[in-house]
Amino acid sequence: TDSDTADEAVRATCDDATTCKRFATSKGYWKDPYMQYFARSVGERKAPEINRGYYARVQGMNHLLDAFIRKTECDCQVINLGAGLDTTFWRLKEENLLPRKFFEIDFPTVVARKIHNIKKKPPLSKPIIETHSTDSLLLDAHSLDSDRYCIIGADLRDISTLDQKLKKFQLPTMLLSECVLVYMTPSHSSNIIHWAAESFHTAMFINYEQVNMSDRFGQVMIENLQRRQCNLAGVEACQSLESQKERFLKSGWEHADALDMMTVYSMLPQEDVARIERLEFLDEKELLHQLLQHYSICWATKDKLNLGISYITL
Ligand code: SAM
C-alpha cells in the first residue's frame, strides 16, 4: 500500500544518516570506530558542507547528552527514539559515561538489521556482554535486552505499545530524537512529546530536525526528499525556532530552548572547528550557512528533582 511505501522510505533514511556519518568520520571530522561495523564501505564522496553539517549535528547532540549524564552522575536512563544504527551506546561505554539503562526504539526491520550486525561483530557485542552481569541476556533476531542496553522494535506512532514494551524506570530521563519526528504528522509527534512529559518527572528531550522550511531553500529540500518518495509529514512543526519550542511548552515541558545549526556551529569549540575546516576546502561559505540555517536543535526540560538540568546549554 501507499503507507507501506511511505514507511519504507522513512526507514531508508537511516541509511542516509549512517553513510553520511561514516563518510565524515572516514575524513576525520570526528572519531567513531563503531560506525564501520554498520556501514561496510565508506561510500561515495559527500560535499564538504554536508560533512560540516553532520559534524555540528553530532557535536551538538553529544554535548547536550553528555552534560545531562554528567549532571545526573550516570544515575539516569536514555531513550533514543528512532535510533537507527546510531553508535552512542558504545561511545558512552568507552568514555565511562554509560547511563543505568540505554534504550533504543526503531521500526522492527531496522532493529533486526542492527541486531544482526551486533551478533556478527565482536567489537559490537563484547562491550554489551561486558556490561551485563546476570545470565539473562536476551539477544534474538528482533530485540536485545541486557542490563544496560535495550533495543526495541516498535512504531513510535503507537504510543500504547511503545509504553508497554519500554520497561522504563523512574530515573532522570533523557529522550533523544535525531531527524525522526519530522517524518511523522504533527499530531503523532506531539503525542510522543506529551507522553514523555507525562511519563517522567525529571527529564530532558533533545530534538534535532529541519527548521525555517517555508522559504525557497526549504521548499527545495522538501522537493528533493519527495523525489525519493520521502514525505516530511511533520514539516508544519518546523516553521521556526518558536514553533519548535512551542510544541514542548504546550505539552507539559517547563522550559525549552532552540537554536539553528549555524548558531550551534559558531558556538562549538573554535579550535576543533578550525581543525575540521582544514580537512576539506569549502569555497562557498554561503551554502554552508544556508544549509545550517535550515536545521535546529531544540531541547526541553522538566526538573522535579531540582537537578539543575534546565541550565544545560550549548
Ligand atoms: N536517529 C538516527 C540518526 O540520526 O543517526 C537515525 C535517523 S533516520 C534519519 C530516522 C530514523 O527514524 C530511521 O531509522 C527510521 O526508521 C526511524 N523512524 C521514523 N519513524 C518511525 C516510527 N514511526 N517508528 C519507529 N521508528 C521510526
Side-chain angles (χ1 to χ4, degrees), residues 36-303:
Q36 58 182 310
Y37 304 114
F38 291 112
R40 212 169 315 136
S41 71
V42 169
E44 56 185 73
R45 191 180 162 274
K46 308 288 186 297
E49 66 273 13
I50 303 283
N51 299 327
R52 291 188 190 185
Y54 270 91
Y55 167 80
R57 162 173 168 178
V58 170
Q59 302 306 310
M61 295 292 288
N62 288 353
H63 176 91
L64 292 172
L65 171 62
D66 294 2
F68 178 87
I69 295 176
R70 291 209 165 89
K71 198 122 211 152
T72 58
E73 298 174 341
C74 298
D75 202 11
C76 63
Q77 60 191 337
V78 175
I79 304 175
N80 192 349
L81 305 165
L85 304 175
D86 185 90
T87 56
T88 302
F89 170 83
W90 292 275
R91 179 181 71 80
L92 294 177
K93 159 86 167 59
E94 206 171 81
E95 294 179 2
N96 263 318
L97 278 178
L98 212 53
R100 285 256 292 274
K101 197 93 167 185
F102 192 91
F103 294 98
E104 289 184 353
I105 309 176
D106 210 299
F107 282 119
T109 51
V110 175
V111 165
R113 269 181 62 197
K114 186 162 198 171
I115 288 178
H116 179 75
N117 284 310
I118 292 174
K119 279 183 159 173
K120 274 202 326 200
K121 320 252 161 87
L124 296 178
S125 56
K126 233 181 109 226
I128 300 173
I129 294 163
E130 275 169 19
T131 50
H132 188 81
S133 55
T134 56
D135 55 6
S136 61
L137 186 127
L138 173 77
L139 182 60
D140 61 25
H142 307 285
S143 64
L144 162 68
D145 192 357
S146 73
D147 285 353
R148 307 295 285 277
Y149 190 19
C150 227
I151 311 181
I152 298 162
D155 188 329
L156 293 166
R157 292 166 298 190
D158 177 358
I159 297 286
S160 61
T161 310
L162 172 66
D163 192 70
Q164 231 177 332
K165 288 192 173 179
L166 195 70
K167 286 174 242 127
K168 54 189 194 285
F169 303 95
Q170 270 312 336
L171 280 174
T173 302
M174 167 64 86
L175 296 118
L176 302 170
S177 59
E178 184 179 333
C179 260
V180 175
L181 299 186
V182 72
Y183 298 108
M184 296 173 210
T185 63
S187 94
H188 281 129
S189 61
S190 54
N191 283 345
I192 292 173
I193 289 168
H194 189 82
W195 161 82
E198 295 265 281
S199 303
F200 308 105
H201 54 67
T202 303
M204 180 165 177
F205 198 129
I206 313 177
N207 180 46
Y208 174 94
E209 68 186 9
Q210 285 86 342
V211 76
N212 299 329
M213 293 298 275
S214 22
D215 65 8
R216 182 72 204 118
F217 193 92
Q219 290 311 306
V220 173
M221 286 168 66
I222 294 170
E223 285 158 22
N224 285 341
L225 279 159
Q226 277 169 347
R227 219 166 289 134
R228 302 160 48 200
Q229 316 295 325
C230 199
N231 183 20
L232 294 183
V235 81
E236 250 176 78
C238 308
Q239 293 315 316
S240 65
L241 294 172
E242 273 319 303
S243 58
Q244 288 282 1
K245 287 191 275 189
E246 197 46 45
R247 62 171 160 170
F248 284 93
L249 294 173
K250 68 171 194 232
S251 305
W253 294 82
E254 291 163 4
H255 181 269
D257 263 309
L259 296 172
D260 74 62
M261 291 309 289
M262 195 55 227
T263 309
V264 171
Y265 190 79
S266 69
M267 292 166 82
L268 292 174
Q270 289 306 296
E271 239 168 81
D272 202 49
V273 172
R275 177 188 66 81
I276 67 111
E277 288 186 344
R278 285 192 297 268
L279 292 174
E280 290 182 289
F281 180 66
L282 176 63
D283 195 16
E284 284 225 48
K285 290 268 164 23
E286 189 48 35
L287 198 56
L288 176 73
H289 289 211
Q290 286 241 326
L291 185 68
L292 294 198
Q293 275 156 8
H294 288 82
Y295 286 92
S296 71
I297 294 186
C298 177
W299 63 97
T301 54
K302 50 180 293 197
D303 192 3

